[in-house]
Amino acid sequence: MNKKVILSSLCLCIGFLVVVLCSSAFLPTHPPVKNSSSHNKKIEIQKPVDSGWRQLFNGKDLDGWKMVGPGSRYVENGLTGSHGGMGLCYWTREKFGNCVIRVVYKMEKENSNSGFFIRIPIEPSEAFMPVYYGYEVQIDNHPETSGEDEYHITGALYSISKPHSKPGRPGPQWNVMEITLDGPRTIVYVNGQLVTDYTEGDPAPSRKFDYEPFRGLRPNYGYIGLQNHSDNDIVFFKEVAVRPLTIK
């Protein structure tokens, strides 16, 4: 083979090699293939946080509640209101202690009278046994209208405890009352402000009226209930919830 043929063939080979190398620079690149096991990894779904609150009033009916005494309660538009009185609608299924009870309510008028009962020692068959032997966490922003003093104001244990503050809102604004039952201690916040901090055996004033509760110790666990006072004093409740005390 002569030198010209050899040189020509060599040039063709070099040229082909240059074309291949240059074209490879423009080939698309691909990310490395991940291990197939990564595709089998489960996706964790965030579950809603359990607030711990258990609703006792379902907003539809009075399932679990029972009326004693005069008057009645009804449910409408997610709220429970009342007719007549004075009566009590109590939760029948258990007693409560060492827990926090949240009550959300509003007054029909600028001021209306009602109450939330706690520490009722036995299942009530009429309205006044809870008045005398349990505690009423009062709902009444203007007790002076009835000739009563500050021991009868919203958030106080009716006629028993002197209020630390008076944060009750007039109707039709909503109020949030949180009642802590911690053994023999009762703590009441209304709209985020402390009203009552009372422990069994703390001093209490003498009874001024014959319809006030008798003095004496209450049980750590008791029934709870909503008061209906009269047709002139209507308070609407939209939530009654309970949760255990937080373990410290």
Side-chain angles (χ1 to χ4, degrees):
M1 186 179 294
N2 61 40
K3 292 182 179 180
K4 288 184 179 181
V5 173
I6 295 173
L7 182 61
S8 176
S9 299
L10 182 62
C11 288
L12 287 173
C13 291
I14 293 173
F16 178 75
L17 181 61
V18 169
V19 171
V20 171
L21 292 175
C22 290
S23 62
S24 66
F26 295 97
L27 292 175
T29 57
H30 299 281
V33 178
K34 294 182 179 180
N35 191 317
S36 60
S37 62
S38 64
H39 295 286
N40 298 326
K41 186 178 180 181
K42 292 183 179 179
I43 299 174
E44 294 184 2
I45 300 175
Q46 293 292 331
K47 295 181 180 180
V49 177
D50 184 2
S51 65
W53 291 106
R54 174 164 60 97
Q55 299 296 332
L56 303 182
F57 171 55
N58 61 25
K60 300 176 182 178
D61 54 39
L62 292 170
D63 182 43
W65 298 84
K66 182 179 179 180
M67 189 74 200
V68 294
S72 61
R73 295 207 73 87
Y74 63 90
V75 178
E76 189 175 285
N77 298 323
L79 310 179
T80 174
S82 62
H83 296 298
M86 192 185 72
L88 181 75
C89 190
Y90 75 98
W91 179 254
T92 62
R93 294 176 178 169
E94 63 198 287
K95 294 181 177 182
F96 291 99
N98 292 327
C99 65
V100 182
I101 304 167
R102 182 169 64 193
V103 181
V104 181
Y105 70 92
K106 69 176 179 179
M107 300 173 173
E108 180 185 48
K109 302 176 182 178
E110 188 272 338
N111 187 62
S112 301
N113 192 333
S114 184
F116 188 85
F117 279 80
I118 59 173
R119 299 189 188 274
I120 303 171
I122 60 174
E123 193 166 359
S125 58
E126 52 84 30
F128 270 92
M129 184 278 286
V131 172
Y132 290 135
Y133 297 102
Y135 285 144
E136 178 186 357
V137 183
Q138 177 69 337
I139 298 175
D140 182 357
N141 294 340
H142 303 298
E144 62 275 7
T145 303
S146 305
E148 299 174 340
D149 58 19
E150 62 181 346
Y151 283 80
H152 303 75
I153 204 164
T154 297
L157 300 184
Y158 186 77
S159 84
I160 299 286
S161 63
K162 185 176 181 178
H164 290 264
S165 62
K166 303 172 183 179
R169 296 172 184 153
Q173 297 181 55
W174 287 105
N175 294 264
V176 178
M177 178 183 287
E178 290 199 353
I179 305 164
T180 298
L181 305 178
D182 185 0
R185 187 181 180 193
T186 302
I187 304 167
V188 181
Y189 279 83
V190 176
N191 300 322
Q193 295 187 47
L194 177 66
V195 180
T196 292
D197 188 347
Y198 181 83
T199 301
E200 296 300 303
D202 283 353
S206 301
R207 296 173 74 225
K208 299 181 180 68
F209 305 101
D210 59 5
Y211 51 77
E212 291 182 342
F214 296 126
R215 289 2 184 189
L217 301 179
R218 268 49 173 180
N220 288 351
Y221 282 76
Y223 289 97
I224 64 173
L226 309 172
Q227 184 187 63
N228 55 299
H229 202 271
S230 71
D231 282 329
N232 295 321
D233 288 291
I234 297 176
V235 172
F236 299 100
F237 298 88
K238 74 172 180 179
E239 182 177 335
V240 180
V242 63
R243 66 168 175 81
L245 281 180
T246 303
I247 299 175
K248 298 180 180 180

